[in-house]
Amino acid sequence: MVPSLLFEVMLIGLLGIGSQWIAWRYRMPAIVLMSISGLIVGPILGIMNPEEDFGNLYNPIISVAVAIILFEGSLNLSFKELKGLGRPVVRISTIGAFIAWILGSLTAHYVAGLSWTVAFVIGGLFIVTGPTVILPLLRQSKLKATPAKLLKWEGIIVDPIGALLAVFAFEIIAFITSTNPDGSSLFLFFAASFFAVILGWVCGRGVGWMFETGHIPEFLKSPAVFIVVIFAFTLADEIEHETGLLAVTAMGMTLANLGINSVADMRHFKENISILLISAIYVMLTASLQLEVLLKIFDPNIIGYVILMMIVVRPLSIFLSTWGTSLSLNEKMLVGWIAPRGIVALTVSGYFASILSDAGYEDASIIMTLTFGLVFFTVCAHGFTIGPLAKKLHLSLEGRPGTLIVGSNKFTMNLAKTLSKSRNPVLIVDSSWERLRLAREAGIPFYHGEMMSEQTEYHLDTNPYEYLVAATDFHSYNALVCTTFMPEYGRTNVFKVSPYNMIDGGVNDSVDRVGGRILFKEDVAMEDLINKIAKHYVFRQTTLTDQYGYKKYLAEKDKEAVMLYALKPSGKIKFYTEEMRVSPESGDTIVSLTPPKKEIKKIKERLENQRNNGNGNNANNANSGNNENQ
């Protein structure tokens, strides 16, 4: 066992974030690694058992964390994002959820051998996927926009619905089987659910109003939001168990659609908190499992139940609910396969296991085993297959990394041409049709719009692009673009042209220190690059070999050349900056903006050859003329 509770808290954080880092580094499903690390330190090695060690604090910690995670996910549910997808999302979240509930309950009864009461309770619970499992998978897999949005919306909306369906099933069955039926409990359930939605809406509107009117200072906005989230969740949950999830979802969606800048500004902070909580909770939940629970998941009935839920119940519910919608067959197949269960299923199933056991249902003892079996197998199966399946169905954005260039001019247009020739996706964004004329004439993909506007956020799919280059004539605007998109692209993938001032002979410190790495050289500004294009500088591509290495290239290159980027055979791009060291290897291609000395030399040689050939032809013509005269 761990020496202290403080050490255990440290170990949970280390395992959670360590699993996230390993998953990022080696492109593996993070939720699988977190679950495995929890199992190793928990039931397998017996190093810790958070449920016992935290005591009465364990369940409240898990509940509050789930509420915050669900709220953070629902903050991304803007109705503007549903353009063209409203019908499939509504159908999957309603008809699809109902079909999955009925089919899952039948499977639990006839395959897992559960009583009708227990089967219908967990049948409702097991329709949930949730942001704790879906969002990490979407972050890892890089799906196209349609399936990614469908899975995200379904996971967040159905999360509270599944928990409420389980409560509803229990209340209905208790009402039907009671010797003295009393409808007050059913009325309380529906009234509490309605109250939870209204509470979430009121809290969302209230927070939005206080933000807009300045009643909350900037430094208190994030703490205030989290306290209100916990308040809404706790108040609703105290009235009726599991309605708290409905309250925080309603609050998050309300804030997401108010269009308040303060909420958008907190997005990355909330995402960081959510990642930290997800990492910690998965380790805590799996570390708290008993070894006998793990061994029971290999029971034939449980394995059979899990397999049918994955390959029959889920695909049928998706195909039947999306019949007649605009979704393609490939999109239905992918969404019909991906349905990992997560934290909500594990936490709520524990609650119902005790409730049903107290009510006299002996088969409720296997609920935790059944739940963990479904969670673990779906997390592993879907975590490892979402990427390959998406590629197979042509729904993946995996491929050569793309570059998003903000600003259309002669330099960026030629830079985009070199990237296109290398089969790397490229897109030029500009708010001026006149400036975009260069890109249109060159056949370069472009987007007409303001990069910083909200409309661009919803209409421009930035998923194919790993790198962002801000290359407009306005240095402050370039810095603002880089600062805004740095959390999305990463600090090492956001670049801007140098804010070098040719008149003062230096760099504007205030602009230099804000956002983005300076491209190429600090003393090479945008006007320098455009002037070089006007002087017919060429974009030269040089491929390194074992015989012609990087050192030899540097020794022979023109001193006036501007080295732009190194391109690896995989398509990965390394832009030259003074802050990042680029070390190309054999097989890499270096792209530079070079004086046209070689081209001029070739032109002179060609003209000389033509002149010599012309003189030779004239001499031959003269000789033949003399012969004729003779």
Side-chain angles (χ1 to χ4, degrees), residues 75-83 145 149 152-153 255-260 264 267 447 450-451 453-462:
L75 274 176
N76 297 314
L77 300 184
S78 173
F79 294 130
K80 294 178 181 179
E81 199 180 75
L82 279 181
K83 187 177 181 180
K149 289 178 181 178
K152 181 182 75 173
W153 274 80
L255 279 171
N257 290 279
L258 288 179
I260 300 174
R267 179 185 304 170
Y447 176 83
E450 169 55 56
M451 189 65 194
S453 75
E454 186 180 2
Q455 294 300 317
T456 299
E457 180 182 353
Y458 293 114
H459 292 94
L460 177 61
D461 181 16
T462 59

Side-chain angles (χ1 to χ4, degrees), residues 414-428:
N414 283 280
L415 177 65
K417 275 185 177 180
T418 65
L419 292 167
S420 293
K421 287 179 181 178
S422 304
R423 296 180 291 108
N424 285 62
V426 64
L427 183 75
I428 293 180

Side-chain angles (χ1 to χ4, degrees), residues 2 27 60-61 67 70 117 134 318 336 360-361 414 472 474 481 491 498 514 554 614:
V2 293
R27 302 184 65 81
I61 289 173
L70 191 56
T117 300
I134 285 297
I318 295 299
Y361 295 96
N414 283 280
T472 71
F474 305 99
V481 169
R491 189 172 297 273
S498 174
V514 179
L554 292 176

Side-chain angles (χ1 to χ4, degrees), residues 2-258:
V2 293
S4 68
L5 196 59
L6 178 61
F7 186 88
E8 185 167 335
V9 171
M10 178 277 298
L11 184 59
I12 290 171
L14 186 64
L15 290 172
I17 299 302
S19 298
Q20 292 269 14
W21 182 84
I22 293 173
W24 166 80
R25 182 67 178 82
Y26 297 102
R27 302 184 65 81
M28 297 174 67
I31 45 181
V32 175
L33 295 181
M34 290 185 289
S35 300
I36 292 175
S37 63
L39 291 175
I40 291 174
V41 298
I44 295 177
L45 298 180
I47 296 175
M48 65 179 181
N49 186 330
E51 187 172 11
E52 292 182 359
D53 299 336
F54 283 85
N56 293 333
L57 286 176
Y58 178 79
N59 287 328
I61 289 173
I62 297 294
S63 298
V64 169
V66 170
I68 292 173
I69 293 167
L70 191 56
F71 168 75
E72 191 278 326
S74 62
L75 274 176
N76 297 314
L77 300 184
S78 173
F79 294 130
K80 294 178 181 179
E81 199 180 75
L82 279 181
K83 187 177 181 180
L85 286 176
R87 192 180 179 196
V89 167
V90 171
R91 282 199 177 188
I92 291 174
S93 303
T94 54
I95 299 173
F98 180 77
I99 294 173
W101 177 32
I102 299 301
L103 293 179
S105 302
L106 293 174
T107 306
H109 176 71
Y110 288 108
V111 178
L114 300 180
S115 63
W116 283 113
T117 300
V118 178
F120 270 94
V121 169
I122 68 167
L125 178 61
F126 287 168
I127 70 170
V128 303
T129 52
T132 61
V133 281
I134 285 297
L135 296 183
L137 285 187
L138 295 181
R139 195 180 299 117
Q140 156 207 336
S141 58
K142 293 186 178 180
L143 299 181
K144 288 186 176 179
T146 297
K149 289 178 181 178
L150 279 174
L151 289 170
K152 181 182 75 173
W153 274 80
E154 181 206 9
I156 296 170
I157 293 176
V158 176
D159 220 31
I161 292 176
L164 289 175
L165 269 180
V167 176
F168 173 70
F170 180 74
E171 295 291 348
I172 285 287
I173 292 170
F175 174 78
I176 294 174
T177 58
S178 176
T179 54
N180 296 311
D182 182 8
S184 60
S185 59
L186 276 178
F187 175 77
L188 176 62
F189 168 76
F190 287 112
S193 299
F194 179 74
F195 171 76
V197 174
I198 297 301
L199 176 63
W201 179 82
V202 170
C203 288
R205 297 289 296 189
V207 168
W209 176 78
M210 295 185 76
F211 279 11
E212 288 288 88
T213 54
H215 283 80
I216 300 179
E218 290 295 325
F219 74 94
L220 279 181
K221 284 185 176 179
S222 292
V225 167
F226 283 117
I227 289 302
V228 175
V229 168
I230 296 171
F231 164 78
F233 172 79
T234 304
L235 182 59
D237 215 57
E238 287 295 316
I239 295 173
E240 182 67 40
H241 200 67
E242 303 309 328
T243 57
L245 298 177
L246 198 59
V248 296
T249 303
M251 179 181 169
M253 291 182 66
T254 301
L255 279 171
N257 290 279
L258 288 179

Side-chain angles (χ1 to χ4, degrees), residues 405-419:
I405 302 176
V406 182
S408 178
N409 50 59
K410 291 183 179 180
F411 170 74
T412 57
M413 186 266 293
N414 283 280
L415 177 65
K417 275 185 177 180
T418 65
L419 292 167

